[in-house]
Amino acid sequence: MATHEDDAGQSVPATPPGTATDGDGVARRRPLRERHVEETVEVAVPVRTAYNQWTQFKSFPRFSSVVLDVEQVRPTVTAWTIGYGPLRRRFAVEILEQDPDAYLAWRDLRQHPSHQGEVEFTPTRSGGTAITVRMYLEPRGAARVLTRSCRATRLTARLVRGELLNFKRFIEGLGQEGGAWRSTIRNGRVQHDHPEPPRSRVAQWPVG
């Protein structure tokens, strides 16, 4: 698989899932063509508020029923610890595309199994926001049988729906975001409005 080096010297796909490359060589986002899960919830806050709070990833444990911790690893990579009861699982997620107030796409960096996902923010006529999460599961081995039987898909959809409702209650209770990161990400790389600072400078993390 063709790769390029990111700011930390790690290999990432040259053309990640969910993107297409135009003639000018610039990767453009496109919605997942194939998906196992799609859930939408409307929240009674403006798009900017919903987007700003959602992208404060470290705040997820404050409302999530399964996310225990989120750690920033690199500018576009976060490590998530999820669990329920005594069960724990930790995995890294890379943000592939991010458009302020509109869209975010990610991929799980695990290989066995892994998933891709995206979230879209759409303004509603009432002045609120429709948040849509789509996920594509990429199981391996025996897990493929569960996915084909729709059992794993139903469980994942139920979990995603529950987390969306948790976020709805959280952000509507706050009424405003607790922080913001307004940059754009393309092909797994932060797009800088100004020339990149020297390597010795501390990177600006996309979280509050």
Side-chain angles (χ1 to χ4, degrees), residues 104-181:
L104 187 149
W106 73 90
R107 66 164 182 163
D108 179 353
L109 293 178
R110 294 174 301 175
Q111 295 184 0
H112 304 291
S114 67
H115 74 276
Q116 303 171 46
E118 63 185 9
V119 56
E120 289 187 304
F121 302 84
T122 307
T124 63
R125 291 184 178 180
S126 63
T129 306
I131 304 176
T132 298
V133 173
R134 303 183 187 93
M135 291 177 61
Y136 173 56
L137 309 178
E138 298 181 294
R140 298 290 187 272
R144 289 184 177 180
V145 177
L146 290 176
T147 301
R148 292 195 191 103
S149 71
C150 293
R151 181 181 178 185
T153 299
R154 287 196 300 268
L155 291 174
T156 303
R158 187 181 308 167
L159 176 62
V160 170
R161 180 69 179 175
E163 294 297 86
L164 281 172
L165 291 174
N166 288 341
F167 179 77
K168 172 182 172 68
R169 288 187 287 267
F170 179 69
I171 187 59
E172 289 180 352
L174 289 176
Q176 61 183 11
E177 62 269 46
W181 187 81

Side-chain angles (χ1 to χ4, degrees), residues 6-135:
D6 69 3
D7 291 342
Q10 300 294 322
S11 296
V12 296
T15 305
T19 62
T21 302
D22 292 342
D24 59 4
V26 178
R28 311 292 186 189
R29 71 173 177 83
R30 66 165 182 251
L32 291 173
R33 289 183 173 181
E34 186 175 3
R35 53 186 176 270
H36 292 129
V37 172
E38 179 172 342
E39 296 289 336
T40 300
V41 68
E42 291 189 14
V43 299
V45 297
V47 166
R48 187 182 180 95
T49 299
Y51 170 87
N52 283 346
Q53 186 59 55
W54 184 280
T55 54
Q56 298 300 295
F57 304 121
K58 289 184 178 181
S59 73
F60 268 63
R62 295 177 59 187
F63 64 83
S64 173
S65 59
V66 295
V67 179
L68 305 178
D69 182 67
V70 181
E71 177 188 352
Q72 194 73 46
V73 179
R74 299 201 302 273
T76 60
V77 176
T78 49
W80 296 66
T81 301
I82 63 174
Y84 186 80
L87 302 177
R88 297 287 187 276
R89 177 172 294 179
R90 180 180 169 87
F91 58 94
V93 166
E94 179 187 27
I95 301 172
L96 301 171
E97 304 290 320
Q98 187 164 336
D99 295 319
D101 302 335
Y103 181 84
L104 187 149
W106 73 90
R107 66 164 182 163
D108 179 353
L109 293 178
R110 294 174 301 175
Q111 295 184 0
H112 304 291
S114 67
H115 74 276
Q116 303 171 46
E118 63 185 9
V119 56
E120 289 187 304
F121 302 84
T122 307
T124 63
R125 291 184 178 180
S126 63
T129 306
I131 304 176
T132 298
V133 173
R134 303 183 187 93
M135 291 177 61

Side-chain angles (χ1 to χ4, degrees), residues 5-10 75 189 192 195-203:
E5 297 296 311
D6 69 3
D7 291 342
Q10 300 294 322
R189 300 185 69 134
H192 297 282
E196 292 190 26
R199 296 286 179 165
S200 61
R201 297 281 294 278
V202 176

